């Protein structure tokens, strides 16, 4: 009986031990299952990440899956929870949301890369030298160039066509001013365009001297030149877009607001994006032509993950550099000259009504104080307290101070900080000491609107968002001039500037829910910078390079 009892006790202990082993095994199994890592596409780690969320929080890492951000936070936490197919080690570099250029010209940049570059010329003689060298190399039937600026020359006057006529009597030459608001054309180009002393110059100017055109054509009449330039081939246009994109991706730009495109180029961009030949996201402003408006306002908003077509680009006036900007009082440096409205007030009002009824955004180029007043008044006729139109004034360059109060989240200032540092040498000569107080007034505009969208306006300015950032904050040119900054009271903080290049720009495009910050659910568009632009000495900002650019979680540029 004792032996049987001992055997029962031994079997019972063995059974209890086996039960305990099975229980522990089950617990381990459960724990193992619960700690299984979530599979994902990309882990971005070891970075200083400016999320530009509402709290302007800084993170160490984030997770990307299917082109969108899944989680943002501490590196150790994310690595514990996720198993990524790819890892991007930022090696301590700075990451910001994919940079948005709120006003630029992607297609025009591509065209500019194909023609004669006249930027930086210090005299008209240098312009002529470049044209001669260019034509010897290219031997074109029509010579195009862009980039001259008489304000950079010792003789700050518009050139005339006589020397071009001597050099190229049988070849048309059309050289566009840096701002795109004036041509210098030789006699052959004028002849092809049908321009003479009697040509209608409404909405601009054909400068006449001794009864004949000098070759300078400003604003609206420039269309006569444009129509006479031989058509580009499809391959030429595709090459232009691809080459422009390469430049932009290298500079960390992930979205370009192209300020004025025709239907043909918008559809070409869409097709290239669909086939994967273009990665950049484009916010396309439709050029204000009868054909474009008839098509797009009837069709309605067009939206894909890469393309957004919901705005109309309108020109109220010309540029300050060519004295085409519409001023209420005469130019301080040219008696009796007021510039000109390209789109008069009555047409602005009619357009505003038409665009609003179609559910589109109206983005209007306005440089002079008269143009800005006209645009604001036209907008106010349509906008009410319940509107969410987010209409923009592009440039908002010279504004009567009392009218700045009208800027809001429905009249958004879309400005280009490098214009202030490019124009500061001569702008006050144009408008005088009093009117300059309402010019390039970015801080004041921001205070009124509670946001400001920032861009470059390339190819007028260089394709470099670091120059935009520097000009907005330091209000200096690349030579560190002037000491203390140009009207530094109108400078922006670094946080305001980064918002203007990301989340506020996205808002101005109706895209704040999908881009502009590094947050859950948004596109994984981000820019990797070699230095921290939020903390380094301000004079180092212009030289900061982009290490990598990502769109949809895919690396589309790397410096390595």
């Amino acid at each position: 009986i004792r032996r049987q009892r001992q055997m029962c006790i031994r079997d019972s202990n063995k059974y209890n031990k086996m039960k305990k082993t099975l229980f522990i095994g089950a617990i381990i199994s459960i724990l193992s299952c619960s700690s299984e890592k979530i599979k994902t596409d990309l882990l971005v780690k070891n970075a200083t990440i400016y999320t530009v969320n509402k709290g302007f929080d800084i993170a160490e890492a984030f997770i990307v899956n299917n082109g969108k951000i899944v989680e943002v936070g501490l590196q150790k936490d994310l690595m514990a929870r996720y198993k990524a197919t790819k890892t991007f080690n930022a090696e301590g570099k700075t990451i910001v949301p994919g940079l948005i250029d709120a006003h630029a010209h992607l297609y025009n940049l591509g065209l500019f890369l194909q023609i004669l570059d006249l930027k930086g010329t210090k005299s008209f003689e240098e312009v002529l030298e470049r044209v001669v060298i260019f034509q010897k190399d290219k031997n074109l039937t029509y010579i195009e160039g862009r980039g001259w600026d008489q304000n950079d020359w010792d003789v700050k006057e518009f050139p005339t066509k006589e020397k071009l006529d001597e050099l190229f009597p049988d070849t048309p030459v059309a050289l566009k001013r840096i701002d795109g608001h004036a041509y210098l054309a030789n006699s052959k180009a004028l002849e092809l365009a049908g321009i003479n002393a009697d040509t209608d110059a409404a909405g601009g100017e054909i400068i006449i001297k001794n009864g004949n055109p000098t070759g300078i054509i400003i604003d609206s009449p420039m269309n006569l030149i444009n129509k006479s330039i031989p058509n580009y081939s499809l391959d030429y246009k595709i090459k232009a877009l691809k080459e422009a994109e390469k430049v932009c991706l290298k500079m960390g730009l992930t979205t370009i607001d192209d300020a004025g495109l025709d239907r043909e180029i918008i559809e070409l961009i869409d097709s290239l994006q669909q086939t994967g030949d273009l990665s950049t996201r484009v916010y396309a402003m439709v050029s204000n032509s009868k054909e474009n408006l008839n098509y797009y306002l009837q069709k309605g908003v067009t939206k894909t993950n890469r393309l957004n077509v919901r705005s109309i680009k309108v020109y109220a006036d010309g540029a300050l550099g060519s004295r085409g900007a519409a001023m209420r009082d005469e130019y301080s440096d040219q008696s009796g000259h007021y510039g000109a409205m390209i789109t008069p007030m009555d047409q602005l009002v009619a357009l505003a009504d038409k665009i609003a009824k179609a559910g589109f955004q109206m983005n209007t180029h306005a440089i002079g104080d008269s143009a800005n007043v006209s645009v604001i008044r036209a907008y106010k006729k349509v906008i009410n307290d319940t509107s969410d139109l987010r209409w923009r004034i592009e440039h908002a360059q010279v504004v009567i101070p009392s009218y700045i109060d009208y800027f809001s989240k429905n009249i958004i200032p879309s400005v280009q900080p490098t214009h202030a540092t490019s124009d500061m040498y001569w702008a006050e000569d144009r408008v005088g000491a009093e009117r300059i107080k309402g010019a390039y007034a970015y801080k004041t505009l921001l205070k009124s609107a509670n946001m400001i969208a920032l861009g470059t306006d390339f190819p007028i300015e260089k394709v470099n968002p670091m120059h935009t950032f520097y000009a907005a904050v330091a209000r200096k040119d690349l030579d560190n001039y002037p000491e203390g900054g140009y009207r530094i009271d109108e400078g922006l903080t670094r946080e305001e500037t980064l918002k203007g290049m990301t989340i506020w720009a996205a808002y101005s495009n109706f895209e704040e829910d999908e881009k502009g910050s590094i947050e859950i659910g948004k596109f994984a568009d981000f820019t990797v910078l070699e230095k921290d632009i939020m903390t380094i000495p301000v004079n180092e900002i212009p030289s900061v390079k982009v290490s990598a650019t990502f769109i949809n979680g895919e690396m589309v540029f790397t410096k390595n």
Side-chain angles (χ1 to χ4, degrees):
I1 294 172
R2 187 184 300 116
R3 188 179 298 119
Q4 285 179 339
R5 186 183 297 166
Q6 288 174 344
M7 287 178 65
C8 286
I9 292 171
R10 188 166 58 246
D11 288 344
S12 176
N13 290 338
K14 186 176 180 182
Y15 174 71
N16 288 334
K17 187 175 182 181
M18 190 170 74
K19 277 204 311 181
K20 186 176 180 181
T21 301
L22 288 170
F23 177 75
I24 293 171
I27 293 295
I28 291 173
S29 178
I30 291 169
L31 288 173
S32 175
C33 291
S34 65
S35 64
E36 185 175 343
K37 293 183 179 181
I38 303 167
K39 293 182 180 179
T40 191
D41 292 335
L42 177 67
L43 164 67
V44 178
K45 68 175 186 177
N46 194 19
T48 300
I49 301 163
Y50 291 93
T51 63
V52 196
N53 61 9
K54 286 184 179 180
F56 209 78
D57 295 326
I58 299 174
E60 294 178 339
F62 58 90
I63 297 292
V64 176
N65 199 47
N66 292 326
K68 292 189 176 181
I69 296 166
V70 173
E71 191 170 348
V72 185
L74 296 175
Q75 183 170 304
K76 63 177 183 179
D77 293 342
L78 298 184
M79 291 181 71
R81 285 197 295 274
Y82 293 91
K83 181 179 181 180
T85 303
K86 293 181 181 180
T87 298
F88 177 75
N89 185 347
E91 299 177 340
K93 296 183 177 69
T94 295
I95 292 179
V96 296
L99 296 174
I100 301 170
D101 196 314
H103 183 110
H105 302 274
L106 181 70
Y107 179 58
N108 281 351
L109 171 64
L111 295 180
F112 180 80
L113 294 172
Q114 314 305 314
I115 64 175
L116 171 60
D117 182 359
L118 295 172
K119 281 186 177 180
T121 48
K122 298 301 181 184
S123 66
F124 183 46
E125 287 68 29
E126 186 179 350
V127 169
L128 296 172
E129 289 173 7
R130 290 197 192 183
V131 178
V132 170
I133 293 170
F134 180 78
Q135 180 62 354
K136 281 184 179 178
D137 180 52
K138 303 291 185 180
N139 192 29
L140 301 171
T141 57
Y142 198 115
I143 303 171
E144 293 181 79
R146 179 169 179 166
W148 61 270
D149 184 353
Q150 82 282 7
N151 294 308
D152 292 339
W153 305 344
D154 290 336
V155 180
K156 302 182 189 301
E157 297 176 358
F158 278 133
T160 56
K161 62 183 174 61
E162 287 77 17
K163 290 183 179 179
L164 280 177
D165 287 345
E166 292 175 13
L167 291 168
F168 306 100
D170 301 315
T171 305
V173 183
L175 308 177
K176 193 174 286 187
R177 193 180 181 278
I178 189 168
D179 57 15
H181 286 269
Y183 267 125
L184 170 63
N186 71 348
S187 293
K188 192 65 179 178
L190 294 176
E191 178 187 329
L192 285 176
I195 295 174
N196 56 45
D198 299 322
T199 301
D200 182 10
E205 186 178 5
I206 298 170
I207 296 182
I208 304 295
K209 188 175 181 180
N210 299 324
N212 292 304
T214 64
I216 294 294
I217 314 296
I218 300 173
D219 292 320
S220 290
M222 294 172 65
N223 287 327
L224 298 172
I225 298 283
N226 294 335
K227 291 176 183 177
S228 67
I229 295 174
N231 291 330
Y232 304 126
S233 69
L234 178 60
D235 287 344
Y236 187 95
K237 295 170 184 175
I238 291 172
K239 180 183 179 185
L241 285 167
K242 286 184 174 181
E243 289 190 4
E245 181 185 61
K246 284 182 182 179
V247 175
C248 293
L249 295 178
K250 184 179 180 180
M251 294 297 169
L253 294 169
T254 58
T255 295
I256 306 295
D257 291 14
D258 198 311
L261 290 170
D262 288 324
R263 174 184 172 184
E264 176 197 8
I265 302 303
I266 292 173
E267 291 180 346
L268 178 58
I269 289 170
D270 185 30
S271 68
L272 293 173
Q273 290 172 330
Q274 298 292 348
T275 58
D277 291 300
L278 278 184
S279 300
T280 306
R281 302 189 202 275
V282 175
Y283 188 79
M285 303 183 202
V286 179
S287 292
N288 173 32
S289 71
K290 183 178 179 180
E291 296 78 14
N292 286 336
L293 263 62
N294 285 344
Y295 178 76
Y296 282 105
L297 296 188
Q298 183 177 358
K299 180 183 180 184
V301 172
T302 299
K303 181 75 167 67
T304 71
N305 281 343
R306 306 269 177 172
L307 179 68
N308 195 351
V309 187
R310 63 169 303 146
S311 64
I312 306 297
K313 171 67 181 301
V314 178
Y315 281 92
D317 65 343
L320 197 63
S322 55
R323 297 188 184 86
M327 306 299 298
R328 302 188 98 188
D329 297 312
E330 64 185 12
Y331 275 80
S332 300
D333 60 355
Q334 188 170 336
S335 179
H337 190 77
Y338 295 81
M341 289 292 289
I342 294 175
T343 310
M345 180 65 185
D346 59 336
Q347 292 181 30
L348 285 173
V349 173
L351 271 171
D353 183 62
K354 188 176 183 179
I355 291 169
K357 286 178 178 176
F360 269 65
Q361 181 188 46
M362 187 169 174
N363 297 341
T364 309
H365 164 117
I367 301 288
D369 56 7
S370 182
N372 276 284
V373 166
S374 296
V375 173
I376 289 169
R377 287 177 176 173
Y379 282 13
K380 292 298 288 183
K381 287 183 180 292
V382 172
I383 293 170
N384 56 54
D385 293 339
T386 60
S387 300
D388 184 25
L389 299 183
R390 309 187 193 185
W391 285 9
R392 295 163 44 162
I393 297 184
E394 306 297 325
H395 312 305
Q397 201 158 304
V398 184
V399 187
I400 296 170
S402 61
Y403 272 80
I404 290 179
D405 293 339
Y406 288 103
F407 283 85
S408 66
K409 286 193 174 184
N410 267 330
I411 303 181
I412 298 173
S414 172
V415 305
Q416 301 74 48
T418 52
H419 283 349
T421 54
S422 294
D423 299 355
M424 63 184 175
Y425 298 97
W426 49 262
E428 190 168 336
D429 293 338
R430 290 280 195 280
V431 302
E434 189 60 33
R435 287 183 292 192
I436 201 68
K437 294 176 183 178
Y440 315 99
Y442 305 146
K443 190 74 164 188
T444 308
L445 287 165
L446 170 60
K447 286 178 180 177
S448 183
N450 289 317
M451 69 169 53
I452 192 165
L454 303 180
T456 61
D457 205 8
F458 70 69
I460 296 171
E461 301 284 354
K462 293 180 179 178
V463 189
N464 193 329
M466 294 301 101
H467 293 179
T468 299
F469 198 98
Y470 177 68
V473 173
R475 302 277 290 196
K476 294 181 180 182
D477 67 12
L478 297 180
D479 294 323
N480 201 35
Y481 177 87
E483 185 177 351
Y486 172 63
R487 297 175 56 220
I488 192 60
D489 55 312
E490 292 294 351
L492 305 177
T493 68
R494 299 193 199 203
E495 181 174 325
E496 290 165 349
T497 301
L498 185 56
K499 287 180 177 178
M501 298 168 69
T502 55
I503 193 64
W504 289 339
Y507 181 91
S508 76
N509 295 351
F510 293 85
E511 296 177 331
E512 74 277 12
D513 290 333
E514 62 186 51
K515 64 175 72 164
S517 61
I518 297 175
E519 295 183 89
I520 294 171
K522 292 193 175 183
F523 290 133
D525 297 355
F526 56 97
T527 304
V528 186
L529 303 173
E530 292 190 339
K531 293 183 180 180
D532 188 342
I533 57 174
M534 306 303 287
T535 60
I536 61 174
V538 70
N539 64 326
E540 294 181 15
I541 291 172
S543 61
V544 171
K545 303 296 182 185
V546 172
S547 177
T549 306
F550 285 77
I551 296 177
N552 235 42
E554 297 177 1
M555 185 184 287
V556 290
F557 166 77
T558 178
K559 188 180 176 184
N560 299 329

